[in-house]
Each structure stands twice: as structure tokens, then as C-alpha cells.
């Protein structure tokens, strides 16, 4: 599974089918993902999920369905589709899986935090330069008005 946001789940033994879908949220203890309206698992059902933590290899584990909620997704300006958000809690994660997931999420959080910090610094610099230009422009206008007033008074 190459795309990091795509995951796969199966509802055994109720169905032998697997479903590909998109991850909305991932944490150390669970995840949320969207599913087509009719393919949603049942609350309290145990399902098998396969996903790829950030910058890691994919792995599979069991998860218990905690919440299923209907949403409407806007696919384009003119087309909406009904689907469901499924929230699950991981069950029976091995120590290696837990450690891999925790370390992966920590690395991803640091990357996001670093990117956010750089973005905020860039915005501050942009604001500083805009403020400085406004200050210079307003100073030039004030100086020009003062000079014009002096010339008028001296005439």
C-alpha cells in the first residue's frame, strides 16, 4: 500500500470482502476512516485493519468499532455523496507494533511542528516587512506635509 492515507479493512467472519478507504485520523490507540454508506461495519464489531504509519511499513491488526457516524462529503461543486466515518480502537497490538506506531507518530508530529514553526516565522517576517514599508511610507508623507507647511508659512 503505497499511499499513506489509504488503508484496508475487513469484517470477518460477517463478510469475506476487503474494503479500501481513506484514513482521517491516526493515533497510538486507534483511527478514524471513511467508508461507503452501505459498507460500514457495525458498532462493537471487531474488524481487521491494514494501514501504513507515516514513514513505515504497513501492518495489520484487529480493531473494535467504537463509533459509526453518517456524513455527507462534497466531491465537487455539484456532487455530494453520503458515507460514514468509522472510529476504531486497536486491539491486541504487539509490543513491536505499538512501539513502531508510537515512534512513527512522534516523528511525524515533530515534522509537522517544525513545518508549522517555520511557517509562523515566515508569516512574522512578512508582517514585519509590511509594517516597515507602511512606517516608511507614513513617515515620508508626514515629512512631506511638514515641509509643505513650512514652505507655506515662510511665504
Amino acid at each position: 500500500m503505497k499511499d499513506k492515507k489509504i488503508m484496508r479493512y475487513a469484517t470477518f467472519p460477517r463478510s469475506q470482502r476487503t474494503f479500501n478507504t481513506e484514513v482521517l485520523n491516526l493515533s497510538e490507540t486507534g483511527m478514524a476512516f471513511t467508508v461507503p454508506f452501505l459498507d460500514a461495519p457495525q458498532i462493537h464489531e471487531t474488524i481487521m485493519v491494514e494501514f501504513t504509519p507515516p514513514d513505515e511499513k504497513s501492518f495489520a491488526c484487529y480493531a473494535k468499532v467504537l463509533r459509526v457516524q453518517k456524513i455527507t462529503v462534497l466531491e465537487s461543486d455539484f456532487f455530494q455523496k453520503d458515507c460514514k466515518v468509522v472510529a476504531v480502537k486497536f486491539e491486541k497490538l504487539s509490543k513491536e507494533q505499538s512501539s513502531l506506531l508510537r515512534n512513527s507518530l512522534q516523528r511525524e508530529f515533530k515534522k509537522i511542528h517544525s513545518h508549522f514553526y517555520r511557517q509562523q516565522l515566515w508569516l512574522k517576517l512578512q508582517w514585519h516587512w509590511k509594517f516597515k514599508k507602511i512606517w516608511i511610507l507614513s513617515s515620508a508623507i508626514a515629512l512631506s506635509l511638514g515641509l509643505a507647511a513650512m514652505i507655506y508659512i515662510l511665504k
Side-chain angles (χ1 to χ4, degrees):
M1 294 171 57
K2 303 242 183 214
D3 190 347
K4 304 280 190 255
K5 292 195 75 108
I6 300 296
M7 56 92 58
R8 186 167 53 177
Y9 76 96
T11 56
F12 298 111
R14 183 168 57 97
S15 170
Q16 297 300 316
R17 290 180 52 204
T18 60
F19 303 92
N20 291 330
T21 187
E22 183 179 1
V23 176
L24 296 176
N25 188 341
L26 177 64
S27 73
E28 288 183 46
T29 58
M31 68 186 340
F33 53 91
T34 58
V35 296
F37 193 79
L38 297 175
D39 295 331
Q42 305 296 313
I43 295 178
H44 304 299
E45 184 175 12
T46 299
I47 62 174
M48 173 72 77
V49 294
E50 180 185 4
F51 62 98
T52 306
D55 300 327
E56 290 292 342
K57 297 177 186 170
S58 68
F59 69 83
C61 65
Y62 290 104
K64 184 167 204 124
V65 177
L66 301 178
R67 180 172 52 95
V68 178
Q69 177 181 347
K70 178 186 171 191
I71 63 168
T72 301
V73 176
L74 193 61
E75 294 224 328
S76 69
D77 290 341
F78 306 105
F79 184 67
Q80 300 181 60
K81 82 173 184 182
D82 289 333
C83 54
K84 291 188 178 180
V85 172
V86 177
V88 298
K89 180 181 178 190
F90 300 133
E91 291 188 333
K92 302 175 187 171
L93 280 180
S94 68
K95 287 184 180 181
E96 296 90 24
Q97 288 174 320
S98 292
S99 176
L100 182 130
L101 186 55
R102 182 180 322 104
N103 293 336
S104 173
L105 291 173
Q106 285 174 349
R107 281 192 308 271
E108 188 68 14
F109 179 75
K110 284 179 184 175
K111 269 195 248 177
I112 291 169
H113 184 267
S114 174
H115 176 73
F116 177 76
Y117 178 76
R118 284 193 306 271
Q119 191 177 28
Q120 292 301 309
L121 186 59
W122 177 246
L123 289 172
K124 285 179 185 176
L125 285 172
Q126 286 178 327
W127 168 252
H128 174 74
W129 285 111
K130 284 180 185 177
F131 180 73
K132 193 171 187 177
K133 286 178 187 176
I134 291 170
W135 185 82
I136 290 170
L137 184 61
S138 62
S139 297
I141 291 171
L143 189 59
S144 298
L145 289 173
L147 191 56
M150 285 177 59
I151 292 172
Y152 181 74
I153 293 172
L154 294 175
K155 278 186 178 183

